[in-house]
Amino acid sequence: MARPCIGITTAHNAEQGNYYCRHNYIGGIRQAGGVPLLLPPLADQDELLICAGRIDALLLSGGGDVCPALFGEQPHWKLGKFDPERDDFEIGMLRLMVDLGKPVLGICRGLQVINVALDGTLYQDLASQQPQSLQHMQDAPRRYPAHSVTLCQGSRLSDILGATRLQVNSLHHQAIKDVAPGLQATALADDGVIEGVEASGQPWLLGVQWHPEVMWEHDQAAASLFRALVSACL
Ligand code: MN
């Protein structure tokens, strides 16, 4: 089969008038055998349908916060920057991909978008809302694996990573509060913070709270997450 085409969502800087994506998402997909295709946040439903129809899988990339109105909350005082256009596009695309039965991988913000799109909720700011939690916004270099996660035995995530215990990097201040119906939390940090979710069976739907895209060049487990997404298309 031809190499699968993986749509990667981009961030949007309205003030500067540009769209951007960190290069290591692109490299992660290419090393896994996929062909990356960057997707700007589009607002027209017909455009979303065309995008979802053309790509073989979707990678929801990392980025800023998710608008709390999308999960029925008022803005907490520690809420960070969010982009309503990006939120709407990514939620719309996720729902279309699920309807089409096409694979989706969410990274960091991407995991949060999957959860909100499927009617879950988030902590808007972990440090203030869960003050007993570990440090999840590490000061260490981005690729440094700062805390441990425990993976559910037999989960898709533990099968992909080949482990039930793993060291991951951590660059998030939001986190899942209530897991969406149809998703299972299959990775937890030692403080109970949800670090991975997945849907069992089809479609192939997986999210991780850490950033494998900055680890894959040096870490086989991180590289295998991108390979799993590409393999799910074949
Ligand atoms: Mn973390």
Side-chain angles (χ1 to χ4, degrees):
M1 183 191 168
R3 288 169 65 185
C5 189
I6 315 296
I8 306 177
T9 58
T10 55
H12 174 214
N13 186 324
E15 291 84 41
Q16 291 179 10
N18 56 23
Y19 302 102
Y20 58 94
C21 174
R22 284 177 185 265
H23 66 94
N24 36 30
Y25 290 103
I26 293 160
I29 292 298
R30 293 185 71 217
Q31 63 86 27
V35 178
L37 191 69
L38 299 187
L39 303 175
L42 304 167
D44 185 311
Q45 188 63 17
D46 287 343
E47 293 172 331
L48 267 71
L49 271 167
I50 291 168
C51 285
R54 296 261 174 110
I55 58 178
D56 297 302
L58 179 66
L59 171 56
L60 295 167
S61 61
D65 288 0
V66 178
C67 173
L70 295 168
F71 49 94
E73 290 189 8
Q74 295 292 308
H76 184 271
W77 69 281
K78 291 290 277 181
L79 175 68
K81 232 181 183 178
F82 65 89
D83 177 350
E85 288 173 46
R86 185 179 181 189
D87 287 343
D88 290 348
F89 174 68
E90 291 187 335
I91 287 173
M93 283 295 288
L94 180 278
R95 289 179 179 157
L96 285 175
M97 295 298 280
V98 168
D99 287 348
L100 293 169
K102 293 184 177 183
V104 179
L105 173 64
I107 290 180
C108 195
R109 166 191 159 83
L111 157 140
Q112 296 163 7
V113 167
I114 291 171
N115 192 55
V116 170
L118 301 176
D119 293 330
T121 65
L122 304 179
Y123 291 112
Q124 294 184 47
D125 180 66
L126 201 48
S128 56
Q129 295 181 297
Q130 293 285 291
Q132 309 307 318
S133 60
L134 297 168
Q135 184 189 59
H136 286 276
M137 185 60 91
Q138 69 190 49
D139 278 327
R142 287 180 71 84
R143 71 172 229 219
Y144 180 75
H147 72 63
S148 306
V149 291
T150 301
L151 312 174
C152 294
Q153 195 132 30
S155 63
R156 182 171 276 154
L157 201 49
S158 79
D159 287 352
I160 292 166
L161 299 170
T164 52
R165 188 92 173 144
L166 196 72
Q167 284 292 116
V168 298
N169 57 359
S170 194
L171 295 151
H172 58 110
H173 88 109
Q174 300 203 309
I176 291 178
K177 187 159 60 181
D178 301 301
V179 180
L183 292 179
Q184 293 88 45
T186 53
L188 295 178
D190 290 4
D191 55 4
V193 166
I194 294 168
E195 293 273 341
V197 291
E198 61 190 79
S200 57
Q202 294 299 322
W204 194 99
L205 177 59
L206 185 70
V208 294
Q209 184 59 78
W210 64 94
H211 281 274
E213 82 282 2
V214 294
M215 303 174 83
W216 65 261
E217 285 182 81
H218 309 277
D219 180 318
Q220 273 309 304
S224 67
L225 273 168
F226 294 95
R227 286 202 297 270
L229 176 66
V230 172
S231 300
C233 303
L234 300 173

